[in-house]
């Protein structure tokens, strides 16, 4: 069994943004699907298969199940496929990049006995990436996240692509999947029960009440009965983590909005200075004669403040429009 990680969680402020520093630990989802029989049930439900021998599942882990701060909930080899399943209560658009990095490390481990420099083609398992989402933020029933969405430049046919299937498992979504996978359905019912009680009471009491109710209603009854203490502790942590992340995102939005206001004020101030300098240039030139329309438009369209300052000095020293044009190097009136 994997070594359990500390349940502590720290928050720090870097610059003007708030950042989360989390020590990873088990989740209820991971606890449930450590059972190979239940994991095979989930695999069959997703793929429309009817495999029966759970012993053929080969659970994959990296050292301490953590790589570069990422912890996949379930990673296993089966039927020539490398499956990475993850549960999330907060939407993360970076899952394709995270899974790419995780899969690369996993494949490096998988091919430890092979060489990539021979004339023989090295065979690898087919990667499959699935996220089970049950957060409170509204999301579609089914969504495909693509690595190419993160590319700074959009290309018609990305040469490197990775797709992650995100399934909304909140009640009312993906009903066929829930019918095929009783454990997943009951897990979602358990989470909904916690949220129901958490709306009116402290989280510790809400979780304990939810566990008791689910056992009575035969929802994950055997699992909850055997591992009640750990499930309660983990569920409290998960709920608090979700709530804290919501607060942090709200704080980051607030910080970003304030920074946006400040940036907007700075941009507005700079723009005002540009307009002011252009108008000053025109006022000085008007004393020298009628300003051609083309020249007026050219000056008003200039956004480079240093250039306008140079023109202002030239206008102040010039005795004619032609002299100004010569000094400014704009154009010839003729």
């Amino acid at each position: 069994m994997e070594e359990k990680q500390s349940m502590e969680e720290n928050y720090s402020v870097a610059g003007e943004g708030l950042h989360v520093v989390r020590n990873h630990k088990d989740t209820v989802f991971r606890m449930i699907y450590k059972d190979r029989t239940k994991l095979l049930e989930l695999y069959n439900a997703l793929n429309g298969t009817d495999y029966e021998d759970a012993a053929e599942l080969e659970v994959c882990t990296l050292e301490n199940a953590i790589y570069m701060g990422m912890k996949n909930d379930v990673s296993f080899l089966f039927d020539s496929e490398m499956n990475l399943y993850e549960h999330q209560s907060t939407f993360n658009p970076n899952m394709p990049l995270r899974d790419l990095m995780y899969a690369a490390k996993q494949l490096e481990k998988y091919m430890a006995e092979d060489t990539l420099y021979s004339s023989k083609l090295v065979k690898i398992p087919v990667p499959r990436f699935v996220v089970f989402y049950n957060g409170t933020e509204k999301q579609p029933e089914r969504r495909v996240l693509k690595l190419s969405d993160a590319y700074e430049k959009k290309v018609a046919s990305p040469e490197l692509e990775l797709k992650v299937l995100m399934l909304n498992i909140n009640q009312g979504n993906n009903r066929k999947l829930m019918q095929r996978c009783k454990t997943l359905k009951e897990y979602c019912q358990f989470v909904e029960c916690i949220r129901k009680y958490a709306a009116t009471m402290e989280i510790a009491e809400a979780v304990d009440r939810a566990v008791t109710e689910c056992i009575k209603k035969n929802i994950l009854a055997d699992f909850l009965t055997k591992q009640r203490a750990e499930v309660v502790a983990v569920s409290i942590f998960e709920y608090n983590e979700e709530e804290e992340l919501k607060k942090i995102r709200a704080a980051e939005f607030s910080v970003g909005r304030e920074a946006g206001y400040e940036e907007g004020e700075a941009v507005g101030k700079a723009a005002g200075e540009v307009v002011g300098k252009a108008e000053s240039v025109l006022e000085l030139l008007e004393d020298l004669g009628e300003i051609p329309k083309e020249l007026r438009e050219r000056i008003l369209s200039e956004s480079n403040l240093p250039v306008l300052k140079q023109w202002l000095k030239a206008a102040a020293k010039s005795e004619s429009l032609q002299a100004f044009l010569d000094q400014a190097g704009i154009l010839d009136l003729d």
Side-chain angles (χ1 to χ4, degrees):
M1 184 173 289
E2 298 172 12
E3 179 183 352
K4 292 182 182 177
Q5 306 297 312
S6 168
M7 293 178 64
E8 295 180 6
E9 185 173 34
N10 301 306
Y11 300 92
S12 63
V13 178
E16 292 186 344
L18 291 167
H19 300 273
V20 150
V21 180
R22 296 187 298 169
N23 291 323
H24 297 276
K25 59 160 202 52
D26 261 341
T27 66
V28 173
F29 186 90
R30 278 176 57 84
M31 291 171 64
I32 291 172
Y33 288 109
K34 282 180 180 177
D35 184 324
R36 279 180 166 80
T37 301
K38 292 183 173 61
L39 183 55
L40 183 59
E41 176 196 7
L42 179 59
Y43 177 89
N44 283 332
L46 280 170
N47 296 281
T49 52
D50 296 298
Y51 293 107
E52 297 179 354
D53 189 357
E56 293 184 7
L57 286 170
E58 182 182 345
V59 176
C60 308
T61 59
L62 298 177
E63 185 178 356
N64 293 327
I66 298 174
Y67 172 60
M68 292 187 70
M70 300 177 294
K71 180 171 182 177
N72 286 75
D73 286 329
V74 182
S75 176
F76 64 99
L77 292 171
F78 184 70
D79 191 25
S80 298
E81 294 181 353
M82 180 177 67
N83 300 274
L84 276 73
Y85 293 172
E86 184 153 341
H87 157 261
Q88 289 184 341
S89 58
T90 54
F91 172 64
N92 188 332
N94 299 307
M95 285 309 303
L97 181 56
R98 287 178 55 183
D99 280 346
L100 173 66
M101 298 167 72
Y102 188 93
K105 196 68 176 179
Q106 193 64 270
L107 287 172
E108 182 181 356
K109 177 183 175 183
Y110 178 81
M111 299 181 297
E113 304 298 324
D114 295 305
T115 175
L116 300 180
Y117 298 97
S118 71
S119 59
K120 179 184 176 182
L121 180 64
V122 176
K123 297 288 187 176
I124 61 173
V126 179
R128 303 286 187 191
F129 308 100
V130 184
V131 167
F132 300 92
Y133 171 83
N134 72 336
T136 55
E137 177 185 346
K138 187 174 182 180
Q139 291 291 338
E141 187 171 65
R142 180 188 179 97
R143 180 174 182 177
V144 176
L145 306 177
K146 299 179 181 179
L147 180 66
S148 59
D149 292 337
Y151 291 169
E152 293 181 353
K153 183 175 73 173
K154 299 301 179 183
V155 291
S157 301
E159 295 182 12
L160 176 62
E161 184 65 282
L162 186 149
K163 299 178 181 179
V164 178
L165 174 62
M166 187 177 87
L167 299 173
N168 188 337
I169 57 172
N170 282 298
Q171 286 191 343
N173 293 281
N174 287 292
R175 288 188 172 89
K176 289 184 179 180
L177 175 62
M178 298 300 178
Q179 290 172 359
R180 291 195 295 261
C181 189
K182 180 174 179 286
T183 304
L184 184 64
K185 178 180 179 180
E186 291 184 358
Y187 166 72
C188 297
Q189 290 173 330
F190 172 62
V191 173
E192 286 295 325
C193 193
I194 292 176
R195 288 175 178 166
K196 176 184 69 176
Y197 286 120
T200 58
M201 60 184 67
E202 293 294 324
I203 183 59
E205 183 182 357
V207 170
D208 190 69
R209 183 80 64 90
V211 170
T212 299
E213 180 176 316
C214 286
I215 292 174
K216 288 182 178 178
K217 292 183 177 180
N218 200 29
I219 297 173
L220 295 179
D222 187 56
F223 168 74
L224 294 176
T225 300
K226 291 180 179 178
Q227 303 190 57
R228 179 171 188 134
E230 189 174 0
V231 169
V232 169
V234 169
S235 296
I236 292 172
F237 185 94
E238 282 192 271
Y239 185 87
N240 286 335
E241 180 181 52
E242 182 180 346
E243 292 302 306
E244 287 301 316
L245 286 173
K246 287 179 183 177
K247 293 176 184 177
I248 289 167
R249 287 197 302 273
E252 288 178 334
F253 176 79
S254 177
V255 168
R257 183 173 56 186
E258 291 175 4
Y261 286 153
E262 293 175 1
E263 182 180 353
E265 289 177 0
V267 170
K269 183 178 180 181
E273 190 172 357
V274 165
V275 172
K277 283 290 187 294
E279 291 178 346
S280 296
V281 171
L282 291 174
E283 287 179 4
L284 289 175
L285 293 182
E286 284 173 352
D287 293 336
L288 302 178
E290 184 177 351
I291 303 175
K293 178 182 178 182
E294 294 78 5
L295 178 56
R296 182 180 294 274
E297 291 177 350
R298 174 68 183 87
I299 293 172
L300 289 174
S301 66
E302 181 58 55
S303 59
N304 190 312
L305 189 57
V307 170
L308 286 168
K309 289 180 178 179
Q310 178 187 348
W311 289 355
L312 185 60
K313 291 179 181 179
K317 296 177 181 179
S318 299
E319 296 182 354
S320 67
L321 289 176
Q322 188 59 56
F324 167 75
L325 294 172
D326 292 341
Q327 290 191 50
I330 299 179
L331 50 81
D332 195 313
L333 286 178
D334 298 336

